[in-house]
Amino acid sequence: MLKKILAILAMLYAMSAFAAVDVNKASAADLDSVKGIGPAMSAKIIEERKKGSFKDWNDLVSRVKGIGETSAAKLSEAGLTVNGAAYPGAPAKAEAKPAKTDTKAAAADDKKAKVDKKAKEEAKAPAAEEKKAKAEAKQAKASAAAPAANATKK
């Protein structure tokens, strides 16, 4: 049941990650949700936007201190748009990253698998030792019997 809930949350997160954030329409919280924009940068963007909407990416880069061509490309890749347009030359937004809950769940599953594997190995250890002891006893018995057999041949 928990896995189903986590799967649903992951799907909702992935769907929301694909939503583009338009710099001219977004709230401060929406801007903060874009990777690479923090509260200080979103405040600068909103302050400049009060003077007038951004016409294009060049207008955004020239008016907002702290956003250059490199960061504009990264922000565009993270889902920021200006009037619905991505930064020219920036790669299209890739798949959304897995939700942190999925990552945590996967890490927990990996840890549990390691613990289970270790427990199985520890459970096998006594059986392996017993098998080894039996083999050694058999070899010792065979070694002891060999001189007796040689003595009867003479």
Side-chain angles (χ1 to χ4, degrees):
M1 181 68 170
L2 180 63
K3 287 185 179 181
K4 288 181 181 179
I5 292 171
L6 290 174
I8 291 170
L9 289 174
M11 289 188 329
L12 291 173
Y13 176 79
M15 288 174 34
S16 68
F18 282 112
V21 176
D22 192 288
V23 74
N24 287 318
K25 299 174 185 173
S27 66
D30 292 337
L31 291 170
D32 287 345
S33 72
V34 176
K35 183 179 177 183
I37 297 180
M41 184 59 68
S42 62
K44 288 179 187 178
I45 292 170
I46 291 173
E47 194 61 36
E48 277 299 317
R49 189 172 66 193
K50 288 178 183 176
K51 298 174 186 175
S53 295
F54 298 102
K55 296 177 184 122
D56 54 21
W57 277 95
N58 290 334
D59 188 29
L60 175 70
V61 169
S62 66
R63 289 172 48 193
V64 179
K65 186 176 180 182
I67 297 180
E69 292 182 14
T70 304
S71 60
K74 288 179 182 176
L75 294 174
S76 178
E77 189 176 342
L80 189 67
T81 62
V82 177
N83 295 324
Y87 187 73
K93 185 176 178 190
E95 290 183 28
K97 293 182 180 179
K100 288 185 179 184
T101 53
D102 286 348
T103 305
K104 288 179 182 177
D109 288 344
D110 288 346
K111 186 175 182 179
K112 185 177 185 288
K114 287 179 183 178
V115 169
D116 289 345
K117 184 177 178 181
K118 187 174 181 180
K120 286 179 184 178
E121 288 173 359
E122 288 174 357
K124 289 180 182 179
E129 289 176 15
E130 185 179 331
K131 187 176 180 181
K132 184 178 177 182
K134 284 182 181 180
E136 288 173 354
K138 186 176 180 180
Q139 187 178 15
K141 188 177 179 181
S143 296
N150 287 340
T152 54
K153 286 183 182 179
K154 290 184 179 184

